[in-house]
Amino acid sequence: MPSVSCPICLQPVLEENINKHLDSNCSTHTASAQRLGNSSFQPQITESMKLAPIFSQTRDKHTSTLAEGPSASTSTTQDKLTTSKKRKSERPPTPRTSSKRSKIVPFKFTSAVPLAERLRPQCLDEFVGQKHLTGPDSLLVNMLDNGIIGSLIFWGPPGCGKTTLARLLTQRVDCYFRELSATSAGMNDVRAVFEQAKASFALTGRRTILFLDEIHRFNKAQQDIFLPFIEQGQIQMIGATTENPSFKLTGALLSRCRVLVLERLTNDDIRDVISSAVERVLASTPREQPDSEGAVTGVGTEPSTSQKSLSQSESSQASTSCDRPFPPYPQLTDRIISSIVSLSTGDARTALSLLELALVAKQDADEHVLLTSLRRSVSVSYDRTGESHYDMISALHKSIRGSHGSAAMYWLARMLTAGEDPLYIARRLVVCASEDIGLADRHALPLAMTALHACQVIGMPECRINLAHCVAYLSEAPKCTRAYEAYNRAEEAAKLDMTMPVPMAVRNAPTVLMKELGYSEGYKYNPSFLHPVHNDYLPITFRRDIFLKEPGELSDKVWDEQELLRWEQEDNGGRPWEGRSSAQYRH
């Protein structure tokens, strides 16, 4: 049997006994001892046996122990025990508490991991919200029951559970799981996962699920790398994004994935998240309970009968306090929890971060001061290039169109308070003045242009007054979309045939040659006549079409009695619309 050299003591050891030799701290199973046939042979380690530098400290310990023999080791252990007893006897006696009440040691957030990360659900049953995806009859759960996930795109706002749901789904299927974030991973990392997934699928037949967070960070050229691997079934991808996939992801990738929309969590969902988090924190909090002699014991000690009755009476008294749902944390009042729910705006991560601040606050902290601190710790979430940017400007425009001045003013304030560029809003108001007010009020467009100029000259914060002036005027102004609708009809007709010639009568004839060719021939100069005259202004195909409707033309308008009744009840104080009778007559 060949022998090898031990890397620690450098003695020859049979190859089959090298592991046993290392486990015995180089004391047995040496080749020399086995050749002598003496199983109790102990190697004589001398100073001349040189070890590698990294094993020098280990060798010194082993050498001293082996040289002194088993008796020395036993005596050393006894000395340590004696010394330990002496130290204990020298310590001052621990004073015994006379209080019989069990107390909870304050929870210390010693971990560097945020509370939101530490308290992630561990199973799908603990997941809060998104019942349309995790309910028992949902399509996603039915796919899981059949062992199928496929490639998915989770689209939802921050803190709605995209990452947590992806991790929990992979626990229900027999697949490898890899997780990357597009904020830190590059295409080399993605290719490495793909190659590993391809090899594991060929060897074991198990697919790999790649969870790619913030997938919209990859550009469209990088997204094309996913296509062959997803299409061949070698990998199943779950992408998470807060941006609209229609704008941020390629059509080819969307056609190979199913987009699942995650909604913002409701207030009830956030309350469930907070309650579950506090219960888990309390479960992990070490408790101190008095023993039968009045001393404090640990968590595992069974309390006495009197202590149980005392504890039950205390819990019953605590339950009667309606404004403190969690007695161990008296600073968590109903008002504090309601404020956390409101400030989180459906974001579970924000709610848990605020809860963490409240838990580490002093138990006797002033409620008003704590509320102020929580409000100041929340930053306004508004992305000037994101979807909310376009949603709010759309809400402002539609509120003006609907003559709802209060709603228009609210969305204006929301955007400006969040840091929106006032020039962007002013430019949109210029468009609104022509699109929705149009011919009904000739002062609307000049006022909007003046407001735009005022924003350029004055700037924030004073120009907010100019914008409010313009928004109020446009909201109350009469509305007319004749010009806007006329252009849309004309544009649709123009796109039918872009080669239609201009009628000869209305062509320009600046030269003699063009006049000889018939340009401008037959044109009647309207100011020269006392009465209207006819000219062929349109191509022959559209001469009978009317793009700009006459004032008061209602042929293309819709009469909806149900919507009118709803407006009268909701917006007009139950009073009938003044123009009901005349509009019904004309319609």
Side-chain angles (χ1 to χ4, degrees):
M1 179 67 67
S3 62
V4 295
S5 177
C6 175
I8 298 179
C9 65
L10 302 180
Q11 295 188 83
V13 182
L14 295 180
E15 186 177 357
E16 64 179 4
N17 295 330
I18 183 62
N19 290 333
K20 298 178 181 179
H21 174 73
L22 293 173
D23 293 339
S24 65
N25 293 330
C26 302
S27 61
T28 60
H29 298 92
T30 59
S32 58
Q34 292 186 359
R35 282 196 298 267
L36 293 174
N38 184 8
S39 61
S40 62
F41 175 80
Q42 299 293 333
Q44 185 71 23
I45 302 177
T46 63
E47 294 296 332
S48 60
M49 302 174 66
K50 302 297 183 181
L51 301 181
I54 62 174
F55 300 113
S56 58
Q57 295 180 356
T58 306
R59 176 183 179 275
D60 294 340
K61 293 179 180 179
H62 292 168
T63 304
S64 60
T65 304
L66 293 174
E68 294 173 1
S71 60
S73 175
T74 304
S75 62
T76 304
T77 305
Q78 293 176 352
D79 292 341
K80 289 182 178 179
L81 292 175
T82 305
T83 305
S84 176
K85 290 180 179 179
K86 288 182 178 179
R87 289 178 179 175
K88 284 186 176 181
S89 62
E90 293 174 357
R91 292 176 183 174
T94 303
R96 295 184 179 182
T97 176
S98 59
S99 174
K100 297 288 186 178
R101 180 175 299 178
S102 62
K103 73 176 179 180
I104 297 178
V105 179
F107 185 77
K108 302 297 183 182
F109 293 93
T110 56
S111 175
V113 181
L115 184 66
E117 181 67 25
R118 282 182 278 142
L119 298 184
R120 284 186 184 272
Q122 300 301 315
C123 62
L124 202 57
D125 295 335
E126 298 178 0
F127 189 79
V128 178
Q130 316 302 336
K131 295 301 181 183
H132 64 290
L133 297 178
T134 60
D137 297 329
S138 64
L139 180 62
L140 185 60
V141 172
N142 292 334
M143 292 169 57
L144 286 176
D145 294 338
N146 295 324
I148 303 172
I149 289 185
S151 294
L152 307 172
I153 299 295
F154 288 162
W155 173 31
C160 65
K162 300 184 293 296
T163 302
T164 301
L165 182 58
R167 293 176 181 176
L168 295 178
L169 291 181
T170 57
Q171 298 177 2
R172 302 276 296 269
V173 293
D174 184 23
C175 295
Y176 298 108
F177 180 69
R178 300 291 182 269
E179 182 175 347
L180 294 176
S181 176
T183 59
S184 57
M187 296 314 300
N188 291 333
D189 302 320
V190 176
R191 289 191 183 95
V193 173
F194 286 166
E195 294 301 326
Q196 185 179 4
K198 184 178 179 180
S200 60
F201 181 74
L203 291 175
T204 64
R206 294 177 62 188
R207 290 184 175 88
T208 298
I209 296 178
L210 171 62
F211 174 68
L212 190 57
D213 198 12
E214 306 293 340
I215 188 175
H216 61 273
R217 297 295 186 93
F218 285 143
N219 58 42
K220 295 186 176 182
Q222 293 172 327
Q223 294 175 23
D224 290 339
I225 298 178
F226 299 98
L227 302 181
F229 296 94
I230 295 176
E231 190 169 355
Q232 296 170 11
Q234 297 171 350
I235 196 169
Q236 294 176 336
M237 186 190 71
I238 301 179
T241 176
T242 57
E243 302 293 336
N244 193 329
S246 302
F247 304 140
K248 296 296 183 177
L249 302 183
T250 63
L253 183 60
L254 289 176
S255 67
R256 291 163 173 81
C257 303
R258 286 179 293 276
V259 179
L260 301 181
V261 180
L262 280 75
E263 304 292 343
R264 190 178 297 275
L265 297 181
T266 63
N267 290 345
D268 293 337
D269 293 335
I270 295 296
R271 285 186 178 274
D272 292 341
V273 170
I274 293 174
S275 300
S276 176
V278 176
E279 291 173 359
R280 291 178 63 179
V281 168
L282 288 174
S284 62
T285 302
R287 295 173 179 267
E288 293 183 353
Q289 306 225 357
D291 58 11
S292 58
E293 298 181 0
V296 177
T297 58
V299 178
T301 306
E302 185 70 21
S304 63
T305 307
S306 60
Q307 293 168 1
K308 288 182 179 179
S309 60
L310 180 61
S311 142
Q312 291 174 357
S313 63
E314 290 175 354
S315 62
S316 63
Q317 292 175 1
S319 62
T320 60
S321 178
C322 59
D323 61 337
R324 285 178 171 81
F326 303 104
Y329 296 103
Q331 71 270 30
L332 284 181
T333 62
D334 281 339
R335 187 180 177 189
I336 293 293
I337 294 178
S338 299
S339 297
I340 292 176
V341 172
S342 177
L343 292 172
S344 64
T345 61
D347 188 335
R349 186 180 293 106
T350 301
L352 291 176
S353 299
L354 293 174
L355 177 63
E356 186 173 8
L357 295 177
L359 289 177
V360 298
K362 295 181 179 180
Q363 295 186 354
D364 58 349
D366 183 76
E367 186 181 59
H368 178 72
V369 175
L370 183 56
L371 280 175
T372 304
S373 300
L374 292 177
R375 292 191 183 103
R376 290 179 177 176
S377 66
V378 178
S379 61
V380 178
S381 176
Y382 183 79
D383 186 1
R384 290 169 63 173
T385 62
E387 191 172 0
S388 60
H389 165 80
Y390 300 101
D391 288 343
M392 289 190 187
I393 195 65
S394 176
L396 171 63
H397 192 152
K398 291 175 180 176
S399 299
I400 294 175
R401 180 182 299 153
S403 299
H404 202 303
S406 298
M409 205 65 67
Y410 169 78
W411 293 117
L412 173 66
R414 274 283 300 272
M415 298 178 74
L416 291 177
T417 304
E420 182 58 80
D421 183 7
L423 293 178
Y424 171 75
I425 301 176
R427 287 191 293 266
R428 187 60 175 259
L429 294 179
V430 173
V431 174
C432 182
S434 291
E435 177 182 343
D436 297 293
I437 289 82
L439 303 174
D441 189 340
R442 60 183 181 181
H443 300 294
L445 182 58
L447 178 64
M449 288 299 301
T450 304
L452 174 61
H453 180 65
C455 291
Q456 293 173 334
V457 174
I458 299 176
M460 283 293 286
E462 287 80 4
C463 72
R464 75 189 190 281
I465 306 173
N466 306 113
L467 291 175
H469 176 190
C470 185
V471 166
Y473 184 89
L474 297 181
S475 298
E476 296 179 353
K479 306 298 187 294
C480 176
T481 59
R482 287 175 56 221
Y484 175 67
E485 293 175 353
Y487 176 80
N488 291 338
R489 285 189 285 265
E491 183 181 37
E492 184 179 355
K495 290 180 180 178
L496 295 177
D497 189 355
M498 300 292 291
T499 62
M500 286 189 179
V502 178
M504 297 295 290
V506 293
R507 291 188 184 184
N508 184 32
T511 65
V512 176
L513 177 61
M514 298 177 74
K515 291 180 179 179
E516 292 176 353
L517 293 176
Y519 282 46
S520 190
E521 183 178 352
Y523 172 69
K524 287 85 175 178
Y525 185 63
N526 301 73
S528 300
F529 296 87
L530 293 174
H531 52 78
V533 294
H534 171 75
N535 284 306
D536 291 330
Y537 299 105
L538 286 171
I540 190 172
T541 306
F542 302 112
R543 285 180 183 174
R544 299 296 179 184
D545 293 348
I546 299 177
F547 301 117
L548 180 61
K549 301 291 184 180
E550 295 292 331
E553 175 65 39
L554 303 176
S555 59
D556 57 345
K557 306 301 179 182
V558 178
W559 181 275
D560 192 326
E561 184 67 23
Q562 295 296 326
E563 291 297 327
L564 178 58
L565 289 174
R566 182 182 178 186
W567 177 84
E568 290 174 345
Q569 293 295 328
E570 299 289 339
D571 300 329
N572 206 37
R575 301 183 302 272
W577 178 43
E578 297 176 355
R580 172 185 282 272
S581 57
S582 60
Q584 283 181 324
Y585 175 78
R586 287 185 295 172
H587 190 269

